[in-house]
Structure formats: C-alpha cells, structure tokens
C-alpha cells in the first residue's frame, strides 16, 4: 500500500510517500522560518498562504523522487488537527481533492499521533506497549500507548508547554526566531553552577506539567542581572543553561515516574523538543540505568514532516478507516478521542 502524506498544521509544509513494502519512498519539507522570523513568531494568515504556494510543488517533487504517479497511490493522508485552522484547511482541501481525483480513500490524521508514530519509521521501532513523551510546539504530554489508537493520557501541560517555554525564554534573552534551538545552542557555553532554577511540580504527585512559573523565574533572573548592569553574553549563556537544565530535569523525572507507575521500561520521545541533545542524553542515561530503552525519530522527523503523516495515515487506511467526502479540520482535537484500530 502506497500512501501520500501531507502536513500543513503550522509553519512547515511536508509531503511524503510511504510504501508498506519498501518503507519511505520519498519526502520533502519546506520551512517557513524565514517568512516568520521578522515577526518573532508564526503569523497564521501568512502561514496559510505559504502552504498554498508550496504544497503542490512539493507533491510533484516527491512523485519525481519516488518514480511514481498519483495513479500508483492507494490512499492520501493529511493532517486534520490540531493546528492552525487556515493552515490545516490547505492540506485537507488538497488531500481530499487529490484522493477524489485518483479514486482512492483519504484519511485525516491527528498531528500528535503522527509524532507519536514517527519512531516506527526507524530500523528498530519500539514494540507496544510503551510510554510516549510528546513535546511538540504547544503540547507536552505523557501517554501510555498499547497500540495504534490505544492511548491513555497520563499527564499534560496545564499552561505553557515545554516547547512554548523554550521559545518564550529565548525571546526574553533576545535570541532570534525560532528561539528553542537557539537557546539550546547558547546553553552549551553556560555555567550550570551559577543559577538554580526550580523544577516545577516534581515535588507533588501526578504527571502533569507546568512551565509558566519557570518562565517567570527566568524573567526575574534576567531582571536581576540587568539590575547589576547590561545583560552580558555570559549572563545569557548561564541563564540559558540553567533554564534548559530545569526543563530537561523536569521532563526526565516525570518520564521515570510514568514508567514506574505503569510498570513499563520502554519510552518513546517525539516532537520538536525531542531533538534536544541534552534531553536525549539524560533520558538515555536514566533508562539504561533501570534496564529500559528510549526510542526517538531521527532529528529531521522530530519537527513537523510529511513522513509521519503518511505512516500514521497508512496505519489507519490499512485497518479500513477512511473519511467521508466532506472536508473538516479540528484545530483542537484531544488525542484520546481517536478510535483504536480493529
């Protein structure tokens, strides 16, 4: 079964073709970072218009790379939510129209399910069941996964997600957009012994997250440093290091708590923040010490991409699920509302 996947939920246009026999045949990605950088964040209307411009050229590119045409497809998958409504509509309308034209079924895919299943594209995919740490954009969730569609949300962010906190802290430090990767890079030269930032909600039971207080602590620390004079390059690096350490420590503590609670030893980490090298190293160390394993997608599949949508769509189309002819997107879509595969 060959499935075309379209991702257009936010500021990256992704297209890929997944083949159940040969794996990923081709993929292409266009990032809108340059478009939004002057505004310091994503402008929804500009994002939607850019998806319109880039989507079909990327579709043609992946067909050429894969050496096939639309007539060879068995289905089309597109991101149906969550995300920016206008951006989602671009992929949904294009995907539904192409599927109708080629006479194949179409399926709207949950963006976070795509991230969750992205490690399945690797040579050694995780076996079910496992705990998933999803850290993507506005989402930070811990999920017990017993199969495709069999999800139990164990904990999630009550306010700012980890990715949002990274971006907001970076903005406070006057780092360029996108801030998260810039902050992580700056933290490499920071002194961890200078500041001690709080680890929010780790001293209370449960698996929920809250990073708004950490953001406020960062703002106050910057103000204190400025009170002593101009914020120096050393100040910025030390604050970035302390901030990153607090987030990584918090995520690691909650992951270990979730694994212990559910009696599991396999952890999957996915989403943009999962590309953070310090977080990967910390979780690998912790899981190894307890005899467990941690899985994550390669860096290019941590951020939004078409490959994860093509694979998630394949899983559901293969099980006989498909959408009706109407076009609908869900900017807000709880993942535990997804149907399990038969």
């Amino acid at each position: 079964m060959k499935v075309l996947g379209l991702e257009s939920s936010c500021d990256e246009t992704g297209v890929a073709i997944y083949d159940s026999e040969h794996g990923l045949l081709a993929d292409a990605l266009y990032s809108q970072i340059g478009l939004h950088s002057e505004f310091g964040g994503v402008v929804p209307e500009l994002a939607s218009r850019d998806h319109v411009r880039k989507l079909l050229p990327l579709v043609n590119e992946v067909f050429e790379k894969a050496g096939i045409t639309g007539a060879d497809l068995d289905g089309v998958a597109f991101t149906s939510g969550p995300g920016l409504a206008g951006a989602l509509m671009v992929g949904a309308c294009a995907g539904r129209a192409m599927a109708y034209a080629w006479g194949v079924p179409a399926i709207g895919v949950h963006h976070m399910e795509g991230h969750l299943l992205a490690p399945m594209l690797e040579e050694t995919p995780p076996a079910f069941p496992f705990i998933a740490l999803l850290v993507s954009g506005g989402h930070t969730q811990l999920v017990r996964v017993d199969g495709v569609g069999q999800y139990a949300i164990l904990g999630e962010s009550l306010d700012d997600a980890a990715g949002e906190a990274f971006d907001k802290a970076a903005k406070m430090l006057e780092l360029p957009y996108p801030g998260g990767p810039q902050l992580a890079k700056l933290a490499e030269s920071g002194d961890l012994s200078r500041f001690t930032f709080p680890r929010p909600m780790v001293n209370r039971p449960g698996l929920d997250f809250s990073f708004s207080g950490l953001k406020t602590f960062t703002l106050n620390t910057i103000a204190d440093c400025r009170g002593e004079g101009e914020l120096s390059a050393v100040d910025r690096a030390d604050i970035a290091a302390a901030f990153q350490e607090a987030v990584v420590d918090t995520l690691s503590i909650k992951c270990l708590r979730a694994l212990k609670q559910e009696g599991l030893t396999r952890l999957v980490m996915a989403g943009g923040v999962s590309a953070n090298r310090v977080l990967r190293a910390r979780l690998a160390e912790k899981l190894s010490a307890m005899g467990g394993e941690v899985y994550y997608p390669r860096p290019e599949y941590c951020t939004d991409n078409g490959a994860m949508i093509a694979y998630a769509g394949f899983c559901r189309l293969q099980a006989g699920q498909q959408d009706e002819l109407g076009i609908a997107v869900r900017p807000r879509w709880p993942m535990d509302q997804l149907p399990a595969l038969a």
Side-chain angles (χ1 to χ4, degrees), residues 140-151:
T140 300
Q141 295 177 315
L142 279 167
V143 185
R144 180 186 171 111
V145 181
D146 289 291
V148 179
Q150 299 177 47
Y151 310 132

Side-chain angles (χ1 to χ4, degrees), residues 328-341:
V329 297
R330 301 182 65 176
R332 296 183 181 275
W333 189 4
M335 196 169 68
D336 54 4
Q337 292 182 2
L338 290 172
L341 297 191

Side-chain angles (χ1 to χ4, degrees), residues 5 27-28 41-42 47 63 84 92 97 146 151 165 167-168 172 175 186 209-210 272 294 317 320 325 329:
D27 69 307
V42 177
F63 276 137
L84 302 175
D146 289 291
Y151 310 132
D167 288 339
K168 290 176 181 178
M172 294 176 202
L175 298 175
L186 179 62
F209 301 91
S210 171
V294 59
L317 289 168
L325 281 175
V329 297

Side-chain angles (χ1 to χ4, degrees), residues 205-282:
L207 296 168
D208 287 331
F209 301 91
S210 171
F211 292 103
S212 62
L214 186 59
K215 178 184 65 177
T216 302
F217 193 93
T218 304
L219 184 63
N220 291 337
T221 303
I222 292 172
D224 289 343
C225 290
R226 282 207 169 110
E228 301 170 3
E230 193 65 30
L231 196 67
S232 68
V234 172
D235 292 332
R236 295 178 195 276
D238 292 347
I239 291 170
F243 174 85
Q244 176 176 255
E245 184 68 12
V247 174
V248 167
D249 213 17
T250 300
L251 293 174
S252 300
I253 290 169
K254 293 293 180 105
C255 285
L256 295 178
R257 187 179 295 177
L259 288 165
K260 183 178 180 180
Q261 173 183 300
E262 299 299 312
L264 299 175
T265 58
R266 280 187 294 273
L267 176 72
V268 162
M269 182 171 58
V273 181
S274 69
N276 184 283
R277 289 185 290 180
V278 176
L279 180 59
R280 286 191 176 208
R282 184 71 50 80

Side-chain angles (χ1 to χ4, degrees), residues 156-203:
E156 56 192 338
S157 51
L158 302 177
D159 39 56
D160 285 354
E164 289 175 320
F166 261 102
D167 288 339
K168 290 176 181 178
K171 198 165 186 176
M172 294 176 202
L173 291 169
E174 300 174 354
L175 298 175
Y177 173 85
Q182 297 288 341
L183 187 147
K185 183 177 181 181
L186 179 62
E188 293 176 5
S189 59
D191 179 2
L192 280 173
S193 66
R194 182 177 173 189
F195 301 111
T196 301
F197 279 33
R199 275 58 171 162
M201 297 184 69
V202 299
N203 293 324

Side-chain angles (χ1 to χ4, degrees), residues 6-314:
L6 310 176
E7 158 60 23
S8 67
S9 64
C10 190
D11 61 343
E12 284 161 320
T13 313
V15 180
I17 298 173
Y18 179 80
D19 186 335
S20 57
E21 293 185 7
H22 302 101
L24 195 64
L25 297 183
D27 69 307
L29 183 70
Y30 173 78
S31 173
Q32 299 178 359
I33 287 176
L35 176 66
H36 301 291
S37 59
E38 65 176 294
F39 305 102
V42 177
V43 180
E45 178 64 20
L46 295 181
S48 302
R49 291 174 181 271
D50 215 36
H51 286 307
V52 172
R53 285 190 289 265
K54 302 298 182 182
L55 186 61
L56 291 183
L58 289 178
V59 170
N60 292 332
E61 181 181 332
V62 296
F63 276 137
E64 185 176 344
K65 285 180 179 178
I68 65 172
T69 68
D72 299 308
L73 291 178
D74 300 292
V76 177
F78 51 87
T79 304
S80 189
L84 302 175
L88 291 169
M89 282 298 293
V90 176
C93 290
R96 179 68 268 181
M98 286 187 279
Y100 183 79
W102 293 323
V104 297
I107 186 81
V109 170
H110 193 289
H111 180 76
M112 297 307 294
E113 181 173 63
H115 277 301
L116 187 152
L117 296 176
M120 299 299 182
L121 294 167
E122 302 302 319
E123 289 186 9
T124 55
F128 300 113
F130 55 77
I131 298 296
L133 170 65
L134 301 179
V135 275
S136 170
H139 302 271
T140 300
Q141 295 177 315
L142 279 167
V143 185
R144 180 186 171 111
V145 181
D146 289 291
V148 179
Q150 299 177 47
Y151 310 132
I153 308 297
L154 305 177
E156 56 192 338
S157 51
L158 302 177
D159 39 56
D160 285 354
E164 289 175 320
F166 261 102
D167 288 339
K168 290 176 181 178
K171 198 165 186 176
M172 294 176 202
L173 291 169
E174 300 174 354
L175 298 175
Y177 173 85
Q182 297 288 341
L183 187 147
K185 183 177 181 181
L186 179 62
E188 293 176 5
S189 59
D191 179 2
L192 280 173
S193 66
R194 182 177 173 189
F195 301 111
T196 301
F197 279 33
R199 275 58 171 162
M201 297 184 69
V202 299
N203 293 324
R204 65 177 73 178
L207 296 168
D208 287 331
F209 301 91
S210 171
F211 292 103
S212 62
L214 186 59
K215 178 184 65 177
T216 302
F217 193 93
T218 304
L219 184 63
N220 291 337
T221 303
I222 292 172
D224 289 343
C225 290
R226 282 207 169 110
E228 301 170 3
E230 193 65 30
L231 196 67
S232 68
V234 172
D235 292 332
R236 295 178 195 276
D238 292 347
I239 291 170
F243 174 85
Q244 176 176 255
E245 184 68 12
V247 174
V248 167
D249 213 17
T250 300
L251 293 174
S252 300
I253 290 169
K254 293 293 180 105
C255 285
L256 295 178
R257 187 179 295 177
L259 288 165
K260 183 178 180 180
Q261 173 183 300
E262 299 299 312
L264 299 175
T265 58
R266 280 187 294 273
L267 176 72
V268 162
M269 182 171 58
V273 181
S274 69
N276 184 283
R277 289 185 290 180
V278 176
L279 180 59
R280 286 191 176 208
R282 184 71 50 80
L283 286 173
E285 176 188 352
K286 298 291 186 182
L287 267 291
S288 177
M290 63 179 284
E293 297 174 286
V294 59
Y295 300 83
Y296 35 72
R298 68 197 76 170
E300 57 264 38
Y301 295 152
C302 289
T303 54
D304 297 349
N305 62 87
M308 68 183 193
I309 302 304
Y311 179 78
F314 154 72

